[in-house]
């Protein structure tokens, strides 16, 4: 029983080979472009989950499943599967497995809005920014025929994700663990708990893929360490992180990675300013061709 309980608090982590040799990279997708699309896909999943009224734990699990799908040579390739479709299917699948399932129509209606170049509030979809005046309904409302086609795609991608993951949809999150650790450490200041949760949610966008390379207890410890420093809260003098089975080297790496996220997102925003990040296969192919032509001076 104890072994089963511990297993529920941990995840199967990605190997170095899976991280460095994704199916997308094998298919010739530049690493920086792949990183941008993964980050945008995670943000898309987050926004869709919020609009669907899903809890943050469901949304976070969906983002982790979305991230896992692209890992390794056996994972999905961005030149075959559109990131927007994998995002929608990941969210639909995770919600279906939870206490708060949502219908295909609800999911697809939300994604149609978020992916509309006229109505979307997302900067990487609609570079012009959220519209001041309400856009025409036909720019963000699915027709019945469009819904039926999109529903078939949603269910097909869901089955592809399940096969790619070996039907292992278990995702242990660090949020509850972190709050338990805070109580153990006697850090009861509300601001610390708030910052811990903010760091853990932001880490879902990490270019280092922290949620698939580190166990939840390590993520929780790093978020606590960082939040306590930011809020000026002194924790115990001893190397308290070792009590939670985290060594100094891992803690240092995670703290640096979490602190770098703000700069990474800012850099992404500047790099793609005025352009949309390609979340559809055809758009990805156009971006790869554009880069090829620039490299060749055409």
């Amino acid at each position: 029983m104890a072994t089963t309980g511990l297993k529920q608090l941990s995840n199967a982590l990605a190997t170095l080979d899976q991280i460095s040799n994704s199916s997308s990279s094998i298919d010739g997708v530049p690493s920086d472009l792949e990183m941008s699309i993964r980050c945008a896909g995670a943000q898309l999943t987050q926004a869709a989950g919020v609009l669907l009224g899903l809890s943050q734990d469901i949304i976070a699990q969906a983002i982790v499943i979305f991230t896992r799908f692209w890992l390794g040579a056996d994972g999905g390739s961005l030149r075959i599967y559109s990131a927007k479709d994998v995002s929608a299917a990941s969210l639909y699948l995770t919600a279906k497995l939870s206490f708060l399932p949502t219908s295909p129509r609800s999911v697809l209606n939300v994604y149609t809005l978020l992916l509309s170049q006229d109505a979307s509030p997302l900067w990487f979809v609609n570079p012009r920014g959220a519209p001041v005046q309400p856009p025409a309904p036909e720019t963000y409302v699915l027709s019945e025929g469009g819904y039926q086609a999109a529903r078939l795609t949603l269910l097909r991608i869901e089955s592809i994700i399940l096969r790619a993951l070996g039907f292992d949809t278990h995702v242990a999150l660090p949020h509850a663990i972190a709050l338990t650790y805070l109580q153990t450490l006697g850090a009861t200041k509300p601001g610390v708990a708030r910052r811990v949760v903010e760091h853990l949610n932001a880490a879902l966008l990490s270019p280092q893929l922290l949620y698939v390379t580190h166990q939840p207890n390590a993520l929780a410890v790093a978020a606590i360490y960082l939040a306590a420093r930011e809020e000026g809260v002194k924790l115990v003098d001893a190397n308290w992180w070792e009590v939670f089975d985290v060594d100094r080297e891992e803690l240092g790496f995670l703290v640096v990675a979490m602190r770098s996220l703000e700069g990474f997102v800012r850099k992404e925003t500047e790099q793609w300013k005025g352009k949309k990040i390609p979340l559809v296969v055809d758009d990805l192919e156009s971006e790869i061709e554009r880069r090829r032509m620039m490299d060749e001076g055409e």
Side-chain angles (χ1 to χ4, degrees), residues 175 178-179 181-183 185-200 220-235 240:
H175 300 67
L179 297 179
Y181 287 178
L182 281 174
Q183 291 179 335
L185 292 166
T188 57
K189 186 177 178 181
V192 176
R194 183 178 63 253
R195 287 298 292 155
V196 165
V197 172
E198 289 172 353
H199 282 303
L200 291 177
V221 164
I224 290 171
Y225 182 92
L226 194 52
R229 279 180 162 257
E230 291 170 344
E231 293 295 317
V233 173
K234 183 174 177 58
L235 301 175
W240 56 269

Side-chain angles (χ1 to χ4, degrees), residues 144-172:
E144 186 58 29
Y147 164 70
Q148 293 299 336
R151 179 178 177 277
L152 290 176
T153 298
L154 178 72
L155 299 180
R156 179 176 64 85
I157 298 297
E158 178 194 19
S159 67
I160 290 171
I161 291 173
L162 285 170
R163 290 198 300 272
L165 299 182
F167 292 86
D168 181 7
T169 58
H170 168 71
V171 177

Side-chain angles (χ1 to χ4, degrees), residues 21-87:
N21 295 297
S22 68
S23 182
S24 298
S25 65
I26 293 171
D27 282 347
V29 179
S31 59
D32 67 307
L33 181 55
E34 182 179 2
M35 187 185 303
S36 293
I37 295 173
R38 278 202 312 251
C39 181
Q43 293 179 72
L44 174 63
T45 308
Q46 176 71 46
V50 170
L51 289 183
L52 286 164
L54 299 174
S55 62
Q56 183 58 34
D57 63 323
I58 295 175
I59 298 171
Q61 290 173 39
I63 293 175
V64 174
I65 286 177
F66 170 83
T67 303
R68 285 178 180 170
F69 176 74
W70 308 107
L71 295 176
D74 296 328
S77 170
L78 288 164
R79 300 191 85 157
I80 298 175
Y81 305 106
S82 294
K84 71 174 184 66
D85 293 334
V86 177
S87 169

Side-chain angles (χ1 to χ4, degrees), residues 5-283:
L6 289 173
K7 185 177 180 181
Q8 292 302 310
L9 297 177
S10 62
N11 294 313
L13 299 182
T15 65
L16 179 60
D17 182 67
Q18 287 178 315
I19 296 293
S20 56
N21 295 297
S22 68
S23 182
S24 298
S25 65
I26 293 171
D27 282 347
V29 179
S31 59
D32 67 307
L33 181 55
E34 182 179 2
M35 187 185 303
S36 293
I37 295 173
R38 278 202 312 251
C39 181
Q43 293 179 72
L44 174 63
T45 308
Q46 176 71 46
V50 170
L51 289 183
L52 286 164
L54 299 174
S55 62
Q56 183 58 34
D57 63 323
I58 295 175
I59 298 171
Q61 290 173 39
I63 293 175
V64 174
I65 286 177
F66 170 83
T67 303
R68 285 178 180 170
F69 176 74
W70 308 107
L71 295 176
D74 296 328
S77 170
L78 288 164
R79 300 191 85 157
I80 298 175
Y81 305 106
S82 294
K84 71 174 184 66
D85 293 334
V86 177
S87 169
S90 298
L91 194 59
Y92 172 69
L93 170 62
T94 307
K96 185 166 68 173
L97 296 173
S98 74
F99 60 88
L100 194 63
T102 187
S103 68
R105 187 178 293 275
S106 296
V107 171
L108 294 171
N109 281 340
V110 163
Y111 273 82
T112 301
L113 170 65
L114 291 177
L115 293 165
S116 168
Q117 294 185 46
D118 295 309
S120 179
L122 301 177
W123 66 269
F124 51 85
V125 173
N126 180 8
R128 294 171 296 179
V132 178
Q133 299 296 328
E138 58 267 20
T139 64
Y140 63 89
V141 174
L142 267 178
S143 65
E144 186 58 29
Y147 164 70
Q148 293 299 336
R151 179 178 177 277
L152 290 176
T153 298
L154 178 72
L155 299 180
R156 179 176 64 85
I157 298 297
E158 178 194 19
S159 67
I160 290 171
I161 291 173
L162 285 170
R163 290 198 300 272
L165 299 182
F167 292 86
D168 181 7
T169 58
H170 168 71
V171 177
L173 297 173
H175 300 67
I177 297 173
L179 297 179
T180 300
Y181 287 178
L182 281 174
Q183 291 179 335
T184 303
L185 292 166
T188 57
K189 186 177 178 181
V192 176
R194 183 178 63 253
R195 287 298 292 155
V196 165
V197 172
E198 289 172 353
H199 282 303
L200 291 177
N201 287 339
L204 290 162
L205 309 179
S206 166
Q208 295 94 344
L209 309 180
L210 299 182
Y211 271 75
V212 297
T213 56
H214 294 269
Q215 294 293 2
N217 66 302
L219 295 172
V221 164
I224 290 171
Y225 182 92
L226 194 52
R229 279 180 162 257
E230 291 170 344
E231 293 295 317
V233 173
K234 183 174 177 58
L235 301 175
V236 295
D237 291 329
N239 293 345
W240 56 269
W241 48 86
E242 294 179 355
V243 176
F244 303 118
D245 198 26
V246 180
D247 61 38
R248 184 182 293 274
E249 183 179 358
E250 183 176 23
L251 173 61
F253 173 83
L254 286 170
V255 168
V256 170
M258 288 182 178
R259 292 182 65 180
S260 68
L261 274 169
E262 184 177 351
F264 166 72
V265 173
R266 187 185 308 114
K267 182 180 178 182
E268 284 291 290
T269 305
E270 293 172 356
Q271 176 184 344
W272 291 94
K273 186 176 182 180
K275 300 182 293 183
K276 64 177 184 177
I277 295 179
L279 298 173
V280 179
V281 171
D282 288 347
D283 292 343

